[in-house]
Amino acid sequence: MTIAVTQEDVIELDRWSVPDLEMERDGWSIPPRDSWRIDRRLRQTRVSAKTSTLFTRFSSHYLLIQTNRRKKDLPEQVIDLTFVQEEPREIRDYRLGLWLAGAICMTVPAALYSVFPAPLPWLVAPLVLAVIFMSLAVRTIRHVFDFRALNSDVVLFTIDARTPSREQVDSFLTELREGILRGQRQLPEGKRRIPLAVAEMRRLAEAGVIGKDDYEQIKRNWFAM
């Protein structure tokens, strides 16, 4: 059997280029820092983890992530929102198991005490345990939005839904979505977007934003189109 290969089927990743159209960028690379136009910032702080993260959206469809953990600055991450999925994955985990365990530790001993009176000190241990369970539940509650790479399930960055306030987070998410859509409207159709997406994921892998295995998986997803 003979398979005909046309010029359109050949993709040369390192030689691909497209016109800028109306994008606010120099080609498809990250613009120089001195040309950035800051659109919005969102700072999220997790006191329990001693972590502070500043998200800065700039030049309409780029995101700068700066994280400080235990007074140490982690490497900056710059993400082109064009290659991020429009809809984030929302994760809610209210640690119901811990709340239930805490409630049991409070109610069961009290109920037994009402039927079989015992010295009050016997109630101290389960009450302390209940407080520990509930405190742990409060500290580990998760309500986050995972933003994944386009055409993959690899998470590029995560935004907490609860801090500093839900209104500020919702406003920031709306602007992120606008930046994502603005960038993706300029992407070529079909296989013509493969080299651009793969090149961006390779940049993120080299910058340590995603792992090498994640990069290879994303690349396989794109070439399977």
Side-chain angles (χ1 to χ4, degrees):
M1 180 177 64
T2 302
I3 299 177
V5 179
T6 66
Q7 184 64 33
E8 294 181 353
D9 295 323
V10 178
I11 300 173
E12 298 182 43
L13 291 180
D14 296 321
R15 297 179 57 186
W16 190 277
S17 63
V18 296
D20 292 352
L21 300 179
E22 63 206 47
M23 303 293 280
E24 299 178 11
R25 65 175 93 202
D26 180 15
W28 288 83
S29 59
I30 302 299
R33 188 179 287 261
D34 57 7
S35 69
W36 292 1
R37 177 175 56 80
I38 305 303
D39 301 309
R40 178 68 70 91
R41 287 189 169 97
L42 177 72
R43 181 176 293 279
Q44 299 199 318
T45 302
R46 292 183 57 197
V47 177
S48 59
K50 297 182 180 180
T51 300
S52 176
T53 302
L54 177 63
F55 297 94
T56 303
R57 191 174 71 90
F58 66 93
S59 300
S60 296
H61 42 256
Y62 297 98
L63 184 67
L64 170 67
I65 304 175
Q66 299 167 295
T67 302
N68 179 281
R69 181 173 297 161
R70 293 180 172 85
K71 299 183 178 180
K72 178 181 178 181
D73 290 332
L74 301 183
E76 294 183 346
Q77 300 176 351
V78 180
I79 295 174
D80 187 340
L81 295 173
T82 302
F83 303 98
V84 177
Q85 291 191 37
E86 174 189 349
E87 294 298 331
R89 178 173 57 200
E90 186 174 6
I91 298 176
R92 298 172 182 262
D93 184 1
Y94 294 113
R95 312 299 286 172
L96 297 181
L98 290 174
W99 287 109
L100 178 61
I104 291 174
C105 288
M106 293 184 67
T107 58
V108 172
L112 292 176
Y113 179 79
S114 64
V115 178
F116 306 105
L120 287 178
W122 286 96
L123 296 177
V124 173
L127 289 177
V128 170
L129 194 59
V131 171
I132 292 175
F133 280 132
M134 293 181 178
S135 299
L136 187 59
V138 171
R139 295 181 60 183
T140 57
I141 285 176
R142 292 185 76 233
H143 183 191
V144 299
F145 293 93
D146 285 342
F147 283 85
R148 295 162 290 171
L150 191 61
N151 194 29
S152 84
D153 202 43
V154 176
V155 176
L156 298 181
F157 61 94
T158 299
I159 292 182
D160 194 318
R162 301 172 298 154
T163 177
S165 71
R166 186 56 194 268
E167 291 75 17
Q168 289 175 280
V169 171
D170 285 345
S171 177
F172 192 73
L173 293 179
T174 298
E175 293 190 4
L176 283 182
R177 184 174 182 270
E178 292 173 353
I180 292 171
L181 292 175
R182 183 180 296 110
Q184 291 180 1
R185 280 196 297 266
Q186 306 306 316
L187 282 175
E189 295 298 327
K191 292 185 178 181
R192 289 171 54 83
R193 61 177 56 187
I194 293 175
L196 299 173
V198 172
E200 172 63 10
M201 294 303 107
R202 180 170 57 190
R203 182 188 70 82
L204 294 180
E206 292 172 349
V209 178
I210 61 176
K212 292 183 178 179
D213 291 341
D214 291 332
Y215 165 66
E216 293 297 333
Q217 181 59 56
I218 295 173
K219 188 167 63 173
R220 284 193 293 269
N221 291 350
W222 279 104
F223 281 108
M225 286 184 59

